[in-house]
Amino acid sequence: MNLSLHRSMLLATAGAALALSLTACQSDTATKSAPETTSSTAGKAAGKAAGGEQSDASGTKGSTGQAQSTASQGSTDRADKSGSAGSTGDQASAATRVCTARDVRVTAATQGGPPTTHIVLTAKNTSGHSCRLADAPHIQFLESHKQDVPAVAKSKPASPVVLTAGAPAYALVKLSDGGVDEDNEPVSAFSVMLEGDSTVIAVNAPGSGGIAVDPAKALTGYWTPELRNGADDF
């Protein structure tokens, strides 16, 4: 009877120990599995986050590249358009036809004096379109002197003068040095021709008594949009 009881107690004790051992094993397994699962989940989350950042970075880079490309293209287009406009403007000026006697009205006025040593020629565009005044006016004051009045090189503008409808151009003309001992001749009218046109324009001399001209001292400037100090002083 005591032997049976003792055996029963041993069996109960062994069963309890086995149960405790199994419980400890299961606890260790759960503990080891939990970090792995957490680590795996964190890794996937980090992977997704990294993937998202790469995607955003790629998208930003793509947008920036596209914006830079668009801006660059826009600058190129503007430069091209600007260049084309400049070229077109130059070609348009070069293509403008030369003014003829039909396009302009030429008049003369005194400058300074007395004595009157210079006059100013004005060529006003009376046509309805633009035209170009090239070179200097071809002036002859006297029938006895068929040579054109010499042009002063320093008064030549950088480019021919283009007159829009109604616009004027000017040319300064020297008559004499103003000396009483000069070989002057009275002139009441004189002839002017434009470069590129063989038509003779008769111009009345300013003043009631006309002008006194020394053919040996006479000079003319080039056509310019306005009289300029220095270039037109002679």
Side-chain angles (χ1 to χ4, degrees), residues 126-137:
T126 56
S127 70
H129 53 76
S130 297
C131 64
R132 175 167 48 92
L133 276 176
D135 206 40

Side-chain angles (χ1 to χ4, degrees), residues 105-122 139 141 171-175 185-192 202-213:
R105 179 173 179 265
V106 180
T107 57
T110 57
Q111 185 193 51
T116 300
T117 60
H118 292 75
I119 60 173
V120 177
L121 293 184
T122 300
I139 304 171
F141 282 114
L172 183 67
V173 181
K174 180 180 179 180
L175 306 176
E185 295 190 39
V187 173
S188 59
F190 55 95
S191 65
V192 174
V203 180
N204 291 325
S208 58
I211 53 178
V213 179

Side-chain angles (χ1 to χ4, degrees), residues 100-107 122-126 201:
T100 67
R102 293 182 178 181
D103 300 318
V104 298
R105 179 173 179 265
V106 180
T107 57
T122 300
K124 184 176 182 180
N125 185 354
T126 56
I201 303 173

Side-chain angles (χ1 to χ4, degrees), residues 27 29-30 32 41 45 47 52 66 69-70 84 100 103 132 149 153 165 183 198 203 225 232 234:
S27 177
T29 301
K32 291 179 180 180
T41 303
Q66 184 176 1
S69 176
T70 302
S84 299
T100 67
D103 300 318
R132 175 167 48 92
V149 173
D183 189 11
S198 59
V203 180
D232 296 308
F234 52 84

